[in-house]
Amino acid sequence: MSSISETQSNAQAAADRQSKSRISFPLAGEGAFLHFSHKGIAALEGAAGAIIPDWMDRGFNSFGLIERLTLDGNATMIRAILDNGLKRLGDDGKPTPMAEVDLDEIDWPMGEVARPALEVICYAYHGRTYSEVLAELTAARQAEEAERQKAKEEAA
């Protein structure tokens, strides 16, 4: 039998996961957010593979390919992101596609879609947001550089 504090901790962990798996997207209207289920991620992988069929030969992994196409502002990838990730809460409280947004008529800059989308796409793949992954990579790179500098100074 679990204690009340354990139950509260589990509830908080679930809320934290949910908050990282969705990101508000006010450009599409009130209550709009980006969220990717496994089905949505599979659709992005399919779109990316159609854009660059030989992606594995080029050394990309699935997330890396989606990241690259998104950061490059590839219109097909941005459209796939919006088609599969733009949601609102339905009457049942579950994420549902935002059918009221005409994706053929939007005029948002692609960069306004790219960064928030990568936050939640990265979370879907790695359980960490894009910002968290970038911070970890930056810290690791800085630590490596400090080690190199230290070794250089000791050798001198």
Side-chain angles (χ1 to χ4, degrees):
M1 189 165 156
S2 62
S3 68
I4 291 174
S5 63
E6 184 180 338
T7 301
Q8 289 171 334
S9 293
N10 290 341
Q12 183 61 47
D16 290 346
R17 280 192 306 279
Q18 182 176 354
S19 72
K20 289 182 177 186
S21 71
R22 299 178 185 175
I23 192 163
S24 177
F25 195 71
L27 288 173
E30 188 176 332
F33 58 90
L34 292 169
H35 169 79
F36 293 90
S37 63
H38 291 282
K39 181 179 178 183
I41 291 296
L44 294 184
E45 289 173 350
I51 297 165
I52 303 179
D54 64 342
W55 61 276
M56 290 182 82
D57 295 337
R58 294 184 185 198
F60 286 110
N61 60 37
S62 297
F63 176 75
L65 178 61
I66 292 168
E67 175 191 33
R68 176 70 180 267
L69 292 169
T70 302
L71 289 173
D72 285 349
N74 181 281
T76 302
M77 181 54 58
I78 297 296
R79 176 60 189 251
I81 287 168
L82 293 171
D83 282 341
N84 294 286
L86 186 57
K87 309 249 173 50
R88 65 176 176 74
L89 287 181
D91 294 336
D92 60 359
K94 295 180 180 177
T96 186
M98 270 193 84
E100 61 268 25
V101 175
D102 183 353
L103 295 179
D104 292 328
E105 298 298 324
I106 62 170
D107 60 358
W108 312 316
M110 288 187 223
E112 296 292 321
V113 176
R115 186 56 187 243
L118 285 172
E119 289 293 325
V120 292
I121 293 167
C122 187
Y123 187 81
Y125 273 98
H126 303 295
R128 297 185 319 271
T129 66
Y130 196 60
S131 295
E132 291 169 337
V133 169
L134 291 179
E136 289 171 17
L137 292 172
T138 299
R141 177 74 175 146
Q142 289 171 340
E144 289 171 5
E145 186 58 35
E147 280 296 317
R148 273 196 288 279
Q149 186 65 31
K150 183 179 175 183
K152 185 178 175 182
E153 290 171 0
E154 289 174 354

